[in-house]
Amino acid sequence: MNPVEGSDPSAPQAAEGPAAELPAVAPQLRELRRRAALTLEAASRAAGLSPAHLSRLETGQRQPSLPMLLALARVYGTTVSELLGETVAERHAIVRAADMEPTPAGGWTYWQAGAPGRGMQALRVHVPHGSQGDIVRVHPGEEWLYVLTGRLRLRLGDTAHMLAPGDSAHFDSLTPHRIAAADPGGAELLFVHTLLQSPTAALCLGPVAGHLTPGELS
């Protein structure tokens, strides 16, 4: 970080010492990383930082630059304003059925069932028969799903499960997993996962159409 114009060149630069100018950044960085269910190593790798450097940012020993804030905001699925501890605009708690527009992605169809900008994303998902059943997904975070209609084949590691309507699953997303509809009519489910926007999350789906990006889906 360059010295501010007009300041004393001999004075220590903020980037080399405690972040006195941004006292709220350190606790916010740690809290948002934990909310995203990311380890220090996973978050630093996604943001292009070393774990040691991110640790210093979280403990207030270093002050983040704007590019670092932008990278961390992307990884944590939030805004620079929230990273800085500024007041965030009130989010709507209610999502009306009429506002849930279908979005195709990799053969599946998604409806946003939760508010944007949260630490978790809630979706209603239609899984057609024969679509993406051979894709193995591995990424940081947690997932919870609840089968509404049809039967769902879920493979976690080396174990295969058949889920019927009313069944649910809650698992660590680092466990290799595959999801497929078992019935010709497909399956519909409720799906909640930690919101990750990192390069590793792009492995979860194929090309995504519409306003959702691969990092927003599991």
Side-chain angles (χ1 to χ4, degrees), residues 18-181:
E21 296 178 11
L22 300 173
V25 173
Q28 281 291 105
L29 288 178
R30 187 181 300 108
E31 174 60 28
L32 288 169
R33 175 174 62 79
R34 290 174 176 172
R35 192 178 76 179
L38 286 170
T39 64
L40 192 69
E41 289 75 15
S44 60
R45 184 169 58 250
L49 303 172
S50 69
H53 194 97
L54 181 56
S55 177
R56 286 192 288 269
L57 295 178
E58 291 188 352
T59 55
Q61 298 176 45
R62 289 291 180 91
Q63 177 176 315
S65 64
L66 180 57
M68 289 179 190
L69 288 174
L70 290 171
L72 290 169
R74 174 183 56 81
V75 171
Y76 300 153
T78 186
T79 63
V80 171
S81 295
E82 187 172 7
L83 287 179
L84 295 176
E86 298 176 356
T87 301
V88 180
E90 183 179 359
R91 301 183 179 102
H92 295 294
I94 307 302
V95 180
R96 301 295 181 185
D99 296 329
M100 297 184 191
E101 297 184 359
T103 300
W108 295 4
T109 303
Y110 298 81
W111 290 263
Q112 289 280 359
R118 297 287 187 178
M120 297 185 298
Q121 185 175 46
L123 303 166
R124 181 164 61 90
V125 185
H126 177 70
V127 182
H129 186 262
S131 177
Q132 296 194 44
D134 58 344
I135 297 179
V136 178
R137 300 167 169 83
V138 181
H139 54 93
E142 289 185 48
E143 299 184 26
W144 175 89
L145 60 85
Y146 178 92
V147 181
L148 296 171
T149 62
R151 293 181 303 158
L152 194 73
R153 288 194 181 96
L154 172 65
R155 190 171 188 90
L156 297 175
D158 295 328
T159 306
H161 305 271
M162 181 70 75
L163 278 63
D167 291 341
S168 64
H170 189 173
F171 53 93
D172 189 324
S173 304
L174 286 174
T175 302
H177 50 287
R178 291 189 295 178
I179 297 173

